[in-house]
Amino acid sequence: MSNFANLKKQSKLGSLTEKLVKEVEKMNNTGGSTDERFWSLTVDKSQNGYAVIRFLPAPDGEDLPFVKLYSHAFQGPGGWIIDSCLTTLNQKCPVCEHNSGLWNSGIDSNKEIARKQKRKLTYISNIYVVKDPANPENEGGVFLYKFGKKIFDKLTAAMQPEFEDEESIDPFDFWKGANFKLKAKNVAGYRNYDSSEFAAPSPLLEDDDDALEALWKKQNSLAELVAPSQFKSYEELKTRLESVLGTKGSRRMDEEVNDEDDYRGPAPSLTEDLRGELSSLKSSRSVASDDEDFDELSYFAKLAE
Ligand SMILES: [Zn+2]
């Protein structure tokens, strides 16, 4: 087989995309990050990684120790759309509206597209890096950290333990919180954070209030990450969506169903099912493997543009 024929065969198999994604991941792992305020876990080739981090309290003048951000990241015939979703601001989002239309069409192939294009949820907090074996220079630093629902669930579980023999902790507390042992491993080809866990509660920085106050002042604003100025307008997003989808003119979608949660239906387990389905879809491998892959994905998408 000629090299060119081989290239074409690989294209058909989707292995070129896979290769590219792997390369980008490698670049990310060697400091290819675009925003130095953000820390991310370095993983080895087999997706295994370990670090100890501490979630930090709400920054000075802000109410919450985390912000919630919805975004869209997918590829259409006209390229990629990588944008924050306006539902983050409780506003109407043209991408979500388009997806609702697809979902409500009742056609299976449309539903599949809606799944691929759905908004993804990430949380962002300030963290203190206690231990980062792959990048020791990060230790002692304050960073922003973007994480998905799995880790957020571990934070809420720590605040509201399931069993009465478990002490509730505020994982964002300087004095009564606990270090978080972030453990990534490869499960069926995808990065998985299930093994991550809290250490026993202990004050940060040996309970030294002066040091803690200095640390607190180094924290990044979270509110500004989700300030309306960080978002494209409805019209801008709609124009981008149309160019990505290669459509001209737009269809009016039902405003009542502009939230993905509305079409998840009554079964609470559907989210997990959906995740499983996405994971098993070979074609979506580079697109929607896990919330945690968001960094790599946006980087890859920018590169592809
Ligand atoms: Zn949206």
Side-chain angles (χ1 to χ4, degrees):
M1 191 186 294
S2 74
N3 287 346
F4 185 75
N6 189 40
L7 180 76
K8 190 167 181 184
K9 186 184 164 209
Q10 285 192 10
S11 168
K12 275 191 186 145
L13 292 171
S15 50
L16 288 175
T17 317
E18 267 185 52
K19 237 190 243 172
L20 187 51
V21 169
K22 274 186 191 137
E23 280 306 307
V24 169
E25 276 176 357
K26 249 192 260 167
M27 283 162 60
N28 275 350
N29 285 341
T30 49
S33 174
T34 45
D35 190 338
E36 304 233 311
R37 292 173 303 165
F38 284 86
W39 176 88
S40 63
L41 181 69
T42 300
V43 293
D44 62 21
K45 272 185 214 152
S46 46
Q47 296 290 311
N48 297 315
Y50 173 76
V52 181
I53 60 174
R54 178 82 167 219
F55 288 91
L56 300 178
D60 196 1
E62 297 184 20
D63 294 330
L64 280 174
F66 61 86
V67 284
K68 201 172 164 178
L69 177 71
Y70 286 104
S71 52
H72 294 281
F74 59 87
Q75 189 182 25
W80 284 83
I81 187 165
I82 304 283
D83 280 296
S84 298
C85 171
L86 282 167
T87 62
T88 306
L89 305 174
N90 291 318
Q91 293 175 12
K92 283 196 286 180
C93 166
V95 185
C96 288
E97 287 178 356
H98 176 74
N99 284 343
S100 297
L102 290 171
W103 188 266
N104 291 327
S105 71
I107 301 165
D108 282 350
S109 57
N110 282 351
K111 286 185 167 186
E112 204 49 66
I113 296 169
R115 281 193 186 105
K116 189 189 127 198
Q117 301 181 165
K118 79 187 198 68
R119 62 180 193 173
K120 295 180 67 161
L121 173 61
T122 46
Y123 297 88
I124 306 170
S125 283
N126 279 285
I127 59 157
Y128 174 82
V129 176
V130 179
K131 203 169 185 186
D132 185 355
N135 303 94
E137 67 277 12
N138 289 336
E139 292 175 8
V142 174
F143 297 91
L144 290 167
Y145 176 52
K146 207 181 270 184
F147 53 100
K149 190 178 177 301
K150 261 184 198 171
I151 287 173
F152 188 75
D153 286 348
K154 286 186 186 281
L155 293 168
T156 49
M159 291 185 265
Q160 299 169 306
E162 211 175 339
F163 300 101
E164 56 181 42
D165 68 324
E166 294 164 10
E167 286 265 324
S168 140
I169 62 158
D170 172 359
F172 301 99
D173 192 283
F174 274 150
W175 299 272
K176 294 173 180 169
N179 292 346
F180 188 67
K181 297 184 269 182
L182 190 59
K183 298 174 182 178
K185 62 186 176 189
N186 180 344
V187 176
Y190 297 97
R191 201 190 296 182
N192 176 293
Y193 289 89
D194 283 351
S195 305
S196 304
E197 58 181 351
F198 282 99
S202 65
L204 186 59
L205 299 182
E206 294 167 346
D207 216 356
D208 178 342
D209 275 1
D210 290 339
L212 288 172
E213 192 178 359
L215 187 72
W216 191 47
K217 288 182 172 156
K218 277 193 217 160
Q219 288 185 208
N220 303 281
S221 167
L222 297 174
E224 81 178 22
L225 298 172
V226 289
S229 60
Q230 302 293 313
F231 290 75
K232 281 187 185 159
S233 71
Y234 183 96
E235 285 308 320
E236 284 171 320
L237 271 179
K238 194 170 159 187
T239 305
R240 180 70 195 147
L241 176 67
E242 282 165 4
S243 100
V244 162
L245 296 178
T247 54
K248 288 203 177 107
S250 63
R251 282 180 291 160
R252 186 88 190 122
M253 300 303 172
D254 186 354
E255 288 174 18
E256 296 302 308
V257 284
N258 64 357
D259 192 320
E260 69 179 30
D261 298 334
D262 289 338
Y263 57 65
R264 273 180 182 162
S269 64
L270 192 60
T271 315
E272 280 311 306
D273 291 351
L274 213 125
R275 190 184 292 276
E277 268 186 67
L278 283 172
S279 301
S280 65
L281 277 172
K282 183 84 176 164
S283 62
S284 69
R285 191 181 184 101
S286 62
V287 185
S289 57
D290 196 290
D291 287 352
E292 314 298 343
D293 288 335
F294 184 79
D295 283 343
E296 287 79 359
L297 179 61
S298 35
Y299 194 85
F300 168 55
K302 276 182 194 138
L303 198 85
E305 260 179 357

